[in-house]
């Protein structure tokens, strides 16, 4: 059982989903449709409302937006998409004021004993977890491995050819974002006694390198795809030329350079959802159309 009590003894009636237009968030919103709960989304882009669902458009760092989004809410799915936790202060204050049941999406790369994390992306998750705990919010933390949906970043290259070029990255147990969403829904809807941990490590079933992922995607597409690792400096120049944010580019490259190979494969998706984690081969098959040019 978690050491700290959560704030819900009954199932929530109104859930806020942050990052609701993103890979994980939209899967959560979709899954919550089949449950008897009111859902509100928060993202900068607006989503059309429907019965039982409303959208708040605004920034997670804007106190007025966050206050409006949290009004009447009794459970929150929280992501923190920024590379710095300083702008989270108003959000933390608003969350503390209502003491809701909080599910935070973090990273399996967080190394608890380390004084400093491997790269800025992991550091922000470690810092955010510490801030949420420090504020007495008793979050249920879902630490996710590399999301399979990151593969969507290869779509432009694969619509143009059969080679994926980019920085190499450590081997990890890539996890399907649908499994992360299903785990989040289970955690959001659970009563206190139904969660056996404060923190879950959500992984896919097998450790994969970038090259393994490209091979599996190629098998699903019926094409002989190839991964070609690009040195950091060249990858940096290309990403900046594509108009990507410099701080993000440097954080991604630091992750590719400093994040160690993972050996972690868990059954925590199944513990929360009752279903084993999907393979990347399955993800590739289900999303093949996104990488295939229409004739
Ligand atoms: N990718 C991975 O491998 C991985 C692994 C572990 C953990 N995570 C965590 O999982 C989170 C979700 O991943 P994802 O792939 O679903 O992300 P995503 O597709 O990039 O979606 C990000 C979401 O955050 C919203 N957003 C961004 N900046 C915002 C801001 N300032 N204020 C309000 N909303 C904002 C975006 O919507 P708008 O643009 O409409 O605002 C979008 O809904 C990541 O942010 C990361 O913290 C990711």
């Amino acid at each position: 059982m978690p050491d700290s009590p959560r704030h819900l003894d009954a199932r929530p009636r109104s859930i806020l989903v942050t990052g609701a237009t993103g890979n994980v968030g939209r899967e959560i919103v979709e899954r919550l449709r089949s449950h008897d709960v009111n859902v509100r989304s928060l993202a900068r882009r607006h989503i059309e409302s429907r019965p039982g669902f409303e959208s708040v458009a605004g920034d997670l760092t804007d106190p007025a937006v966050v206050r409006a989004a949290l009004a009447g809410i009794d459970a929150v799915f929280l992501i923190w998409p920024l590379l710095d936790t300083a702008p989270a202060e108003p959000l933390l204050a608003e969350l503390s004021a209502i003491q809701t049941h909080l599910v935070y999406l973090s990273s399996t790369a967080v190394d608890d004993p380390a004084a400093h994390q491997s790269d800025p992306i992991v550091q922000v998750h470690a810092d955010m977890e510490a801030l949420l705990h420090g504020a007495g919010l008793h979050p249920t933390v879902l630490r996710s491995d590399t999301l399979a949906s990151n593969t969507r970043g290869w779509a432009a290259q694969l619509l143009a050819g059969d080679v994926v070029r980019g920085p190499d990255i450590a081997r990890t147990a890539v996890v399907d974002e649908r499994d992360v969403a299903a785990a989040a829904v289970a955690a959001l809807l659970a009563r206190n006694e139904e969660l056996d941990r404060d923190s879950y490590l959500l992984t896919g079933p097998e450790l994969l390198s970038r090259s393994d992922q490209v091979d599996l995607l190629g098998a699903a597409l019926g094409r002989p795809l190839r991964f070609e690792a690009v040195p950091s400096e060249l990858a940096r120049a290309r990403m900046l030329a594509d108009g990507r944010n410099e701080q993000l580019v440097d954080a991604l490259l630091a992750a590719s350079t400093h994040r160690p190979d993972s050996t972690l494969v868990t059954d925590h998706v199944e513990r929360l959802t009752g279903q084993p984690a999907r393979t990347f081969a399955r993800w590739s098959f289900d999303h093949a159309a996104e990488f295939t040019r229409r004739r």
Side-chain angles (χ1 to χ4, degrees), residues 6 18 40 49 59 71 76 101 120 126 141 156 180 222 225 233 240-241 278 286 295:
R6 295 183 311 130
T18 66
R40 188 179 292 153
S49 295
D59 203 294
V76 176
H101 166 38
V141 175
V180 173
L225 305 185
E233 271 315 303
L240 293 176
R278 292 168 173 92
D286 291 346
R295 290 172 197 277

Side-chain angles (χ1 to χ4, degrees), residues 132-144:
L132 295 171
H133 285 293
L137 293 168
H138 307 301
T140 298
V141 175
L142 303 182
R143 288 184 175 173
S144 167

